[in-house]
Amino acid sequence: MIDAPADNHTEKAPARLALGLSYVGTHFHGWQTQTSGRAVEDHLRLALTRFMGEPSPDLVCAGRTDAGVHAAMQVVHFDTSIDRDEFSWIRGLNRYLPGDMSIHWAKPVAADFHARFSAVTRRYAYVVRESPIRPSLDRNRVGWCFRPLNHAAMLDAASRLVGTHDFSSFRAAQCQAKSPIRNLLKADVSRSGIYWRFDFEANAFLHHMIRNILGCLIAVGNGTRPATWVDDLIAAKSRALAAPTFAPDGLYFIGPTYNQADSITLRTDAHDWIDLMVAPT
C-alpha cells in the first residue's frame, strides 16, 4: 500500500536527483535488492514509494556494499518528475527510513551524471580493534584482532599493493568483473590507542578485494607472513594462496569522488564519527 506524500508536490519534466546517505550495515543484506526485502536498496525504494506516493524509480548507487558493511556516504541517483526542495527530500525520506539509515543531502544533478560511472575513485576504510578482549560497545562497528600488530610491517606490505596490478589473488571466486586489473591509489595504515585504521582508494574495487587485502595485511602485521609475501601474491594471481577473507565488521564505504564540475558533497557528519574512532591521542 502506498502512503500519501508527506507534503504537496508538483510535477515537471523528469530530472535527475542525487542523494547522499549513510547506514550501519549490520542488519542489512548488503546494498543490492534481495528477495528478503532486507537490503539497503529495498528500504530506500520503500521510503521513496511512500514519500512520493508512487512506485519508486530505478536507483543507481556509487558502490555496492556487502552484507554487514557500513557506509559513511553512499551516493544514489534516480530520475523523477516530482519537484521538491532539497530539504523536503531529506526530511521526507528520513521519516520513512529505518533508524540505521539517514539521508544527509539531496540535490539536482546534470542529466548525464551517473552515481557509478561518473565516480573517479572510491574510498573505503577499515577500523580494527587490537585487543585480547573481544568488542562489546563497538561490536559490529570494528574488526577484531587479538594478536599485537606491527605498524611498520603492515605499512610496508600496503605500499606494495599501490599501483596498477592484477588483483586476482584478492578477488572473490564469485567476482563478476571482466578484468582483475585495478589501480590502487592509496593504501595507508594508522593507529590510535587500540584502534587501527586502514584507508584504501582506487578507481574501482573487485568483489571482496578490500576484505581479502586486509586479511593479508593482518597476517603480515601479526608476524605470520613477511611484507614481501604481498609481492608473491600479486605475481601468483591465485586467491587460494592468500589469507582468508576478513570479516565485514569495521569496513566502511567512505564514498566516491567525482570531478569538481559535478559539485557532489564528499563528506557527511558520519565521517566525523569514524574519524573520532581513530583520533590522534
Side-chain angles (χ1 to χ4, degrees):
M1 180 176 180
I2 297 175
D3 290 356
D7 298 295
N8 294 328
H9 66 263
T10 58
E11 295 193 3
K12 60 178 182 178
R16 185 152 294 184
L17 189 76
L19 304 174
L21 65 148
S22 66
Y23 48 86
V24 177
T26 304
H27 302 297
F28 296 121
H29 293 175
W31 160 265
Q32 190 172 15
T33 187
Q34 302 287 327
T35 55
S36 65
R38 295 178 62 186
V40 175
E41 183 179 12
D42 295 320
H43 286 280
L44 182 54
R45 288 177 65 91
L46 180 60
L48 281 163
T49 296
R50 298 181 69 182
F51 173 67
M52 297 167 66
E54 61 186 42
S56 167
D58 292 333
L59 306 179
V60 177
C61 73
R64 296 176 180 176
T65 51
D66 293 336
V69 176
H70 317 300
M73 194 190 72
Q74 176 69 271
V75 176
V76 177
H77 87 251
F78 59 91
D79 295 328
T80 179
S81 58
I82 293 179
D83 186 13
R84 303 297 303 277
D85 62 62
E86 296 175 20
F87 185 71
S88 291
W89 285 102
I90 297 170
R91 182 188 61 188
L93 290 176
N94 282 338
R95 173 184 176 187
Y96 295 114
L97 287 174
D100 39 11
M101 290 177 63
S102 290
I103 303 296
H104 291 260
W105 53 260
K107 64 169 296 178
V109 290
D112 61 353
F113 173 82
H114 195 283
R116 178 184 175 191
F117 296 131
S118 295
V120 178
T121 68
R122 292 164 180 83
R123 301 164 295 154
Y124 284 84
Y126 240 119
V127 179
V128 175
R129 174 190 176 108
E130 179 200 309
S131 170
I133 308 302
R134 67 184 184 184
S136 55
L137 294 179
D138 49 4
R139 182 171 178 261
N140 299 322
R141 306 296 182 90
V142 299
W144 179 40
C145 182
F146 61 88
R147 296 176 179 173
L149 298 172
N150 184 295
H151 193 182
M154 291 191 294
L155 275 176
D156 185 359
S159 69
R160 298 167 186 270
L161 293 163
V162 175
T164 301
H165 303 289
D166 182 324
F167 282 95
S168 292
S169 292
F170 306 95
R171 71 188 299 188
Q174 63 271 35
C175 180
Q176 299 179 354
K178 294 181 180 179
S179 170
I181 307 298
R182 293 293 184 270
N183 181 16
L184 187 62
L185 302 169
K186 178 180 181 180
D188 195 20
V189 185
S190 56
R191 181 178 189 172
S192 176
I194 64 171
Y195 295 105
W196 292 88
R197 176 167 171 164
F198 301 79
D199 282 281
F200 304 96
E201 183 173 3
N203 62 329
F205 290 91
L206 301 167
H207 190 197
H208 284 178
M209 177 175 161
I210 302 174
R211 292 175 60 186
N212 293 332
I213 285 176
L214 195 75
C216 294
L217 293 182
I218 295 296
V220 170
N222 66 28
T224 302
R225 297 283 188 172
T228 53
W229 177 51
V230 170
D231 296 328
D232 298 334
L233 293 176
I234 294 173
K237 304 175 185 177
S238 172
R239 175 73 191 103
L241 301 180
T245 304
F246 204 75
D249 301 340
L251 178 55
Y252 296 83
F253 180 41
I254 296 297
T257 65
Y258 296 97
N259 290 320
Q260 189 173 1
D262 292 317
S263 300
I264 295 295
T265 302
L266 299 182
R267 188 176 179 88
T268 70
D269 58 18
H271 292 88
D272 297 334
W273 186 88
I274 300 170
D275 291 345
L276 184 63
M277 287 286 292
V278 285
T281 55

